[in-house]
Amino acid sequence: MRSFCRLLAILVLTISLAYKTLATNVTFVPQHWRNTNMLRTIDLTSSIVRETTSVAAQNIHNESIGEYYFPIPEQWDNHLSYIEVRERKTKQTFEVEKVKINPLKWVPYSNQLSRQFDDMFVMQRNEKNEIICGSSKKFKLPLLHSNDTTSTCSRIRYYKIFFNRRLDPQEQIKFTITTAFTHMLIPYPKEITQTGRQQLLFQGNQYGNSAYQTDQQKTNVKLPSADIISYSQTKGNVIRNQKNLDYGRFNETKPNSYEELRIHYEFQQNMLTVTGLRRDLEISHWGGNLAVEEHFNLTHDGARLKGHFSRLDYHKTVYIHHETIMTRELTLSLPIHVSDVYYRDEIGNVSTSNLRYEQDKTIFDFKPRYPLFGGWNYTWYYGYNVPLGDFVRYHYESGRYILNIPFVNVFPQAIHDKVQVRIILPEGASDVKVETPFVIDKETHGVHKTYLDTIGRYLIVLEKSNVVNDHSKNIQISYTYSSLELLRKPLSVSLFLLGPFLLSMIYSRIEFSIGKSKRKTS
């Protein structure tokens, strides 16, 4: 009996220690910071969801710290396109790095021991057979719904922010986190008529993303119009002011707190997505020219057209086309000194375009062959030439040529799912170096052969997914190129043309007969 009691006591102690360890493993980020104030702004005025979070953080640790963790839910992180952190006072940019942290260890809600810990997260099934995750004692709103029986609830991805200095205990720092998310807005309803009003649904969190305790915080939502169909209303914590919704002030918010934010509003703008873009940049030192050509696969991701397209209704409603989400005209901003601009699609040349020259840029307006409604696609390409000196400079100290050019020339507020930039350097370029202001998904180097080439031209291919207009920053390509390489093409062409004549001259002077040749005598 005594042995049985001893064994039972050891078993209970082991289980208690295991669950206690499990509970303490819920907090993965060291609680060395405390947010004294947080102001979060959600911009829904375009198809790209942009968040700006201003944070005032205080070091509550007993040692100096130079790192800060910023959390993003996994389902949002999959749509993250851009993140930037700047100090509010100096406007200096801080380095940001995505880090891997072990996921939360969830336990079934039916387990009695899970109720002992206030910070333990549990999961259970509701009446719809969905797995719902939340706190064991404050089981309020889910972090994620799933019908998958093997689901382990929502995980959080963390980004580590490296400050430019270490902050002493009790010292404060103020900084701003800017993020952009794509494909987060849902047309609701999914289909509308040709002249129908488009409505979108946004789902998020009333609280700002934070891995630390926050003393005070507010969330401001900017909308494109005052036509708001519905929105989450927390008693006493939401104020509607025409195009804005203000949530808070929230006091003493725990890390990774969640309160559902759901906004249904009218959005009378097109939602353009470039599913594929290939940009070719070809440098010619011989002609002093930079040739640019871009191939687009465009999709309208707005509410789909209900029923069939009616040409009769289209002409009858011509005076209200500007009030619909239909896309009739596209606009691109080009360099000031462009020339030889062309615009074509799979059928051939498209003449419905116009070029306007302004003081510091050239505006290229063009119309597709047909209007674009929700769910419709259009494929085309355009190109132009520009003087090489506008983008390429020679650095005398290093003896290198440096190309500075935007990574992509995007449509305003358009989403680019996949972008491929191909830089074709002149034949004979070497010692190539690539520098980008953001992380590139893939970088490859190869050879591109075209007419009158001998060894081929140096080719650089840069690929990136989920691109927005925040990525319209200059990339820098530096390389060495000898002036003697300018003679390569003329010499190769001359050799090609004179080669047959030289061979014929040599051939005519070769004696193929056997024996001595007889000379004619007079």
PDB file of all heavy atoms in Angstrom, residues 10 45 114 126 134 137 197 221 227 398 405 502 518:
ATOM      1  N   ILE A  10       4.375  10.195  -7.087  1.00  0.00           N
ATOM      2  CA  ILE A  10       5.370  10.509  -8.125  1.00  0.00           C
ATOM      3  C   ILE A  10       4.688  10.785  -9.449  1.00  0.00           C
ATOM      4  O   ILE A  10       5.065  11.713 -10.195  1.00  0.00           O
ATOM      5  CB  ILE A  10       6.381   9.353  -8.241  1.00  0.00           C
ATOM      6  CG1 ILE A  10       7.209   9.246  -6.954  1.00  0.00           C
ATOM      7  CG2 ILE A  10       7.287   9.568  -9.442  1.00  0.00           C
ATOM      8  CD1 ILE A  10       8.141   8.048  -6.929  1.00  0.00           C
ATOM      9  N   THR A  45      -8.031  52.630 -47.603  1.00  0.00           N
ATOM     10  CA  THR A  45      -8.446  53.477 -48.721  1.00  0.00           C
ATOM     11  C   THR A  45      -8.045  52.918 -50.076  1.00  0.00           C
ATOM     12  O   THR A  45      -8.392  53.480 -51.103  1.00  0.00           O
ATOM     13  CB  THR A  45      -7.849  54.885 -48.560  1.00  0.00           C
ATOM     14  OG1 THR A  45      -6.415  54.778 -48.487  1.00  0.00           O
ATOM     15  CG2 THR A  45      -8.366  55.543 -47.293  1.00  0.00           C
ATOM     16  N   SER A 114      -5.498  22.105 -17.372  1.00  0.00           N
ATOM     17  CA  SER A 114      -5.304  23.312 -18.175  1.00  0.00           C
ATOM     18  C   SER A 114      -6.024  24.506 -17.572  1.00  0.00           C
ATOM     19  O   SER A 114      -5.678  25.639 -17.835  1.00  0.00           O
ATOM     20  CB  SER A 114      -5.809  23.064 -19.602  1.00  0.00           C
ATOM     21  OG  SER A 114      -7.211  22.857 -19.587  1.00  0.00           O
ATOM     22  N   ASN A 126     -16.700  23.634 -31.389  1.00  0.00           N
ATOM     23  CA  ASN A 126     -17.992  24.258 -31.167  1.00  0.00           C
ATOM     24  C   ASN A 126     -19.078  23.458 -31.861  1.00  0.00           C
ATOM     25  O   ASN A 126     -18.843  22.352 -32.382  1.00  0.00           O
ATOM     26  CB  ASN A 126     -17.969  25.713 -31.655  1.00  0.00           C
ATOM     27  CG  ASN A 126     -17.668  25.813 -33.141  1.00  0.00           C
ATOM     28  OD1 ASN A 126     -17.631  24.802 -33.843  1.00  0.00           O
ATOM     29  ND2 ASN A 126     -17.454  27.029 -33.617  1.00  0.00           N
ATOM     30  N   GLY A 134      -8.302  29.545 -27.635  1.00  0.00           N
ATOM     31  CA  GLY A 134      -8.414  30.699 -26.759  1.00  0.00           C
ATOM     32  C   GLY A 134      -7.839  30.389 -25.392  1.00  0.00           C
ATOM     33  O   GLY A 134      -7.232  29.350 -25.173  1.00  0.00           O
ATOM     34  N   LYS A 137      -9.251  30.271 -19.054  1.00  0.00           N
ATOM     35  CA  LYS A 137     -10.118  30.936 -18.090  1.00  0.00           C
ATOM     36  C   LYS A 137     -10.929  32.060 -18.725  1.00  0.00           C
ATOM     37  O   LYS A 137     -11.998  32.397 -18.245  1.00  0.00           O
ATOM     38  CB  LYS A 137      -9.273  31.491 -16.935  1.00  0.00           C
ATOM     39  CG  LYS A 137      -8.761  30.393 -16.012  1.00  0.00           C
ATOM     40  CD  LYS A 137      -8.192  30.997 -14.750  1.00  0.00           C
ATOM     41  CE  LYS A 137      -7.822  29.887 -13.763  1.00  0.00           C
ATOM     42  NZ  LYS A 137      -7.285  30.437 -12.501  1.00  0.00           N
ATOM     43  N   ARG A 197     -22.612  48.639 -57.047  1.00  0.00           N
ATOM     44  CA  ARG A 197     -21.715  49.208 -56.050  1.00  0.00           C
ATOM     45  C   ARG A 197     -20.957  48.082 -55.366  1.00  0.00           C
ATOM     46  O   ARG A 197     -21.546  47.120 -54.874  1.00  0.00           O
ATOM     47  CB  ARG A 197     -22.500  50.007 -55.007  1.00  0.00           C
ATOM     48  CG  ARG A 197     -23.501  50.981 -55.580  1.00  0.00           C
ATOM     49  CD  ARG A 197     -22.840  52.150 -56.258  1.00  0.00           C
ATOM     50  NE  ARG A 197     -22.171  53.035 -55.333  1.00  0.00           N
ATOM     51  CZ  ARG A 197     -21.560  54.163 -55.698  1.00  0.00           C
ATOM     52  NH1 ARG A 197     -21.508  54.492 -56.993  1.00  0.00           N
ATOM     53  NH2 ARG A 197     -20.966  54.937 -54.801  1.00  0.00           N
ATOM     54  N   VAL A 221      -9.015  53.510 -37.920  1.00  0.00           N
ATOM     55  CA  VAL A 221      -9.252  52.879 -39.215  1.00  0.00           C
ATOM     56  C   VAL A 221      -9.680  53.960 -40.206  1.00  0.00           C
ATOM     57  O   VAL A 221     -10.679  54.666 -39.972  1.00  0.00           O
ATOM     58  CB  VAL A 221     -10.320  51.777 -39.133  1.00  0.00           C
ATOM     59  CG1 VAL A 221     -10.479  51.097 -40.494  1.00  0.00           C
ATOM     60  CG2 VAL A 221      -9.961  50.753 -38.064  1.00  0.00           C
ATOM     61  N   ASP A 227     -19.555  55.607 -46.493  1.00  0.00           N
ATOM     62  CA  ASP A 227     -20.572  54.570 -46.685  1.00  0.00           C
ATOM     63  C   ASP A 227     -20.114  53.282 -46.012  1.00  0.00           C
ATOM     64  O   ASP A 227     -19.510  52.404 -46.640  1.00  0.00           O
ATOM     65  CB  ASP A 227     -20.835  54.340 -48.175  1.00  0.00           C
ATOM     66  CG  ASP A 227     -21.401  55.571 -48.850  1.00  0.00           C
ATOM     67  OD1 ASP A 227     -22.201  56.275 -48.206  1.00  0.00           O
ATOM     68  OD2 ASP A 227     -21.029  55.842 -50.007  1.00  0.00           O
ATOM     69  N   SER A 398      36.692  53.861 -58.477  1.00  0.00           N
ATOM     70  CA  SER A 398      36.661  52.392 -58.517  1.00  0.00           C
ATOM     71  C   SER A 398      36.771  51.844 -59.930  1.00  0.00           C
ATOM     72  O   SER A 398      37.020  50.652 -60.113  1.00  0.00           O
ATOM     73  CB  SER A 398      35.372  51.882 -57.876  1.00  0.00           C
ATOM     74  OG  SER A 398      34.242  52.355 -58.594  1.00  0.00           O
ATOM     75  N   ILE A 405      18.388  52.173 -60.937  1.00  0.00           N
ATOM     76  CA  ILE A 405      17.084  52.189 -61.595  1.00  0.00           C
ATOM     77  C   ILE A 405      16.062  51.554 -60.665  1.00  0.00           C
ATOM     78  O   ILE A 405      16.394  50.648 -59.896  1.00  0.00           O
ATOM     79  CB  ILE A 405      17.146  51.432 -62.943  1.00  0.00           C
ATOM     80  CG1 ILE A 405      15.924  51.749 -63.801  1.00  0.00           C
ATOM     81  CG2 ILE A 405      17.322  49.935 -62.753  1.00  0.00           C
ATOM     82  CD1 ILE A 405      16.049  51.287 -65.237  1.00  0.00           C
ATOM     83  N   LEU A 502      39.092  36.985 -97.565  1.00  0.00           N
ATOM     84  CA  LEU A 502      40.430  36.517 -97.215  1.00  0.00           C
ATOM     85  C   LEU A 502      40.600  35.046 -97.557  1.00  0.00           C
ATOM     86  O   LEU A 502      41.645  34.626 -98.083  1.00  0.00           O
ATOM     87  CB  LEU A 502      40.673  36.733 -95.713  1.00  0.00           C
ATOM     88  CG  LEU A 502      40.766  38.201 -95.251  1.00  0.00           C
ATOM     89  CD1 LEU A 502      40.884  38.251 -93.736  1.00  0.00           C
ATOM     90  CD2 LEU A 502      41.955  38.883 -95.899  1.00  0.00           C
ATOM     91  N   LYS A 518      54.008  24.376-116.002  1.00  0.00           N
ATOM     92  CA  LYS A 518      54.643  24.781-117.251  1.00  0.00           C
ATOM     93  C   LYS A 518      54.321  26.223-117.560  1.00  0.00           C
ATOM     94  O   LYS A 518      53.170  26.618-117.580  1.00  0.00           O
ATOM     95  CB  LYS A 518      54.166  23.894-118.401  1.00  0.00           C
ATOM     96  CG  LYS A 518      54.566  22.441-118.210  1.00  0.00           C
ATOM     97  CD  LYS A 518      54.079  21.635-119.386  1.00  0.00           C
ATOM     98  CE  LYS A 518      54.478  20.165-119.250  1.00  0.00           C
ATOM     99  NZ  LYS A 518      53.996  19.359-120.384  1.00  0.00           N
TER     100      LYS A 518
END
